[in-house]
Amino acid sequence: MKFVLNEGVGRWHLLSGKTIFEGWQSMGKWASGYFGVYSLIWGFVYGAAGTSSCALAMSAMIPAIPLWAWAVIHGIAGFALTWSGRFRLFERSMNILVGLMFITVVGSAVLVLPKLSGLWHTAVPDLPKGSLLYALGLIGGVGGSITMASYGYWIQENGWKDRSYVPTMRYDSAIAYIVTAIFTLSLLVLGAALLYGTDASISGEQGLVSFASIMGNEIHPAARWLFLLGFWSASFTSVVGVWNGVSYLFADFIRNMRKSSVDKEKLNQTKAFRFYVFWLTFPPMLLHFIGKPVGLIIAYGALGALFMPFLAITLLWLLNSKKELPEEGRNHWLSNLFLTLCLVLFVILAINELRNTFS
């Protein structure tokens, strides 16, 4: 599902020569207005949620420093890596973090494989009664939400500008989602090996610490650190990715609203880009003193769910537009089918997330 959306964003940038925000603006004021309001509310919540997730991991490794202090430290670290707008610095940082995340979590999963003897039947996909919405929540939470719309700006930074780069873009996107899938499956393997058939349950702020402790007791003390390091790197990639990617989107929003002459290839040098990096970093620090990091992450998930149907319906519109794209660049029936399926699933997810948030 996420690959289809990501590929759609990349294909729009390459074939139309326009940014995704320019596409939204062509659809009318409702689309650009929705993004403008949404980005400010979502950014305020995510600024606290993303750094809280990093803080949970670091607090488990180094508990001497309070959770709120770790959250503040990670916000400032994300700010330092993205404020200058230097794309190569951002790209190198992400490559290192993703590599660390992949090696530690997949390595941990490999360590527990011997414990899966007799449990391979649990690998058969199954949806027990009442679990469909949890499955939709997993679809909504894994592999990005609003940051997928940023993909075109990263394509732009790499100098990919025309139809000839469509196969390269698809390969790049496919590799990203294959890595994401392996990472996610590794977490499921860890859960099956260490929790299935036991009375142990994990939840809330202490769930991460409890699960890491189980790993340390069942495998080796070093396994606890491996898992926590992987969890931290996964969380911090999300922070750095959002601080950079969504700031491009916001800067493009301001450029178009003001009808500015700023070159779209220099969005990361604008005041609007830096304002949004600031917005993600400092105002959300107030939320850390609420003391409910998991609650913040759930609130972010609910807001994130509201963006997915918006992205799906706008891509359906733009990628079938005779006005914007040549015939050979427009959607085939298979792309339309998957985007429609995305739309239906994410509308269900959004309704469920909102119901759970306010109930």
Side-chain angles (χ1 to χ4, degrees):
M1 296 295 168
K2 296 294 178 73
F3 170 80
V4 170
L5 293 169
N6 204 68
E7 187 272 345
V9 171
R11 183 154 46 93
W12 166 260
H13 272 255
L14 291 172
L15 297 182
S16 70
K18 298 180 179 180
T19 66
I20 189 67
F21 188 83
E22 287 172 327
W24 292 339
Q25 193 176 40
S26 72
M27 295 177 64
K29 291 182 179 179
W30 71 271
S32 50
Y34 179 92
F35 172 79
V37 173
Y38 178 89
S39 64
L40 289 173
I41 297 171
W42 180 90
F44 182 70
V45 175
Y46 184 81
T51 53
S52 292
S53 182
C54 299
L56 284 171
M58 289 304 295
S59 183
M61 289 189 279
I62 308 174
I65 297 177
L67 193 71
W68 67 265
W70 275 126
V72 169
I73 289 167
H74 282 90
I76 293 171
F79 180 87
L81 284 170
T82 53
W83 172 259
S84 67
R86 290 166 58 197
F87 181 75
R88 296 306 163 200
L89 172 64
F90 160 74
E91 190 175 44
R92 283 194 295 270
S93 302
M94 289 292 281
N95 286 338
I96 292 168
L97 288 166
V98 169
L100 180 63
M101 172 189 86
F102 192 77
I103 291 168
T104 52
V105 174
V106 175
S108 299
V110 170
L111 289 175
V112 303
L113 281 178
K115 293 182 173 289
L116 286 181
S117 177
L119 294 181
W120 288 106
H121 64 282
T122 65
V124 177
D126 183 34
L127 286 175
K129 185 178 179 181
S131 66
L132 177 61
L133 291 175
Y134 288 101
L136 290 175
L138 184 63
I139 293 170
V142 173
S145 56
I146 188 173
T147 42
M148 284 192 297
S150 308
Y151 184 51
Y153 301 97
W154 296 333
I155 285 174
Q156 183 176 279
E157 289 287 355
N158 277 302
W160 300 357
K161 292 185 179 179
D162 54 43
R163 183 179 182 81
S164 65
Y165 281 101
V166 170
T168 306
M169 176 273 297
R170 285 175 174 158
Y171 174 80
D172 178 67
S173 188
I175 291 295
Y177 279 98
I178 288 169
V179 169
T180 303
I182 294 171
F183 173 79
T184 308
L185 288 170
S186 296
L187 290 174
L188 295 175
V189 165
L190 288 169
L194 299 174
L195 296 177
Y196 184 79
T198 71
D199 292 328
S201 63
I202 57 172
S203 63
E205 284 78 9
Q206 291 303 311
L208 176 67
V209 178
S210 301
F211 190 75
S213 298
I214 292 170
M215 286 196 67
N217 294 332
E218 295 290 329
I219 305 169
H220 189 277
R224 174 181 181 274
W225 288 89
L226 262 183
F227 175 74
L228 289 172
L229 197 57
F231 185 94
W232 170 81
S233 55
S235 299
F236 197 46
T237 54
S238 296
V239 166
V240 177
V242 166
W243 262 236
N244 180 274
V246 185
S247 297
Y248 275 101
L249 275 166
F250 187 81
D252 203 13
F253 164 71
I254 297 297
R255 177 178 75 101
N256 281 277
M257 290 298 98
R258 291 183 172 179
K259 295 180 171 56
S260 168
S261 59
V262 171
D263 189 333
K264 63 184 177 184
E265 295 184 0
K266 294 182 179 179
L267 288 170
N268 56 354
Q269 300 301 317
T270 61
K271 290 181 180 178
F273 180 94
R274 292 193 173 102
F275 166 80
Y276 200 74
V277 173
F278 178 91
W279 177 254
L280 285 164
T281 305
F282 295 104
M285 287 181 182
L286 296 170
L287 296 180
H288 295 313
F289 298 100
I290 295 174
K292 295 188 178 293
V294 171
L296 288 172
I297 294 166
I298 292 170
Y300 145 70
L303 282 169
L306 289 174
F307 187 77
M308 304 312 300
F310 171 75
L311 183 58
I313 198 168
T314 54
L315 284 176
L316 272 169
W317 180 286
L318 294 172
L319 295 175
N320 286 288
S321 171
K322 294 179 181 179
K323 178 183 177 182
E324 300 288 355
L325 294 178
E327 184 176 354
E328 62 272 17
R330 295 198 291 271
N331 273 357
H332 296 296
W333 68 269
L334 190 61
S335 295
N336 284 327
L337 175 64
F338 273 100
L339 282 172
T340 302
L341 187 58
C342 285
L343 176 60
V344 172
L345 287 175
F346 291 129
V347 164
I348 294 171
L349 173 62
I351 293 170
N352 180 64
E353 289 281 3
L354 289 172
R355 186 183 66 188
N356 289 343
T357 300
F358 294 108
S359 63

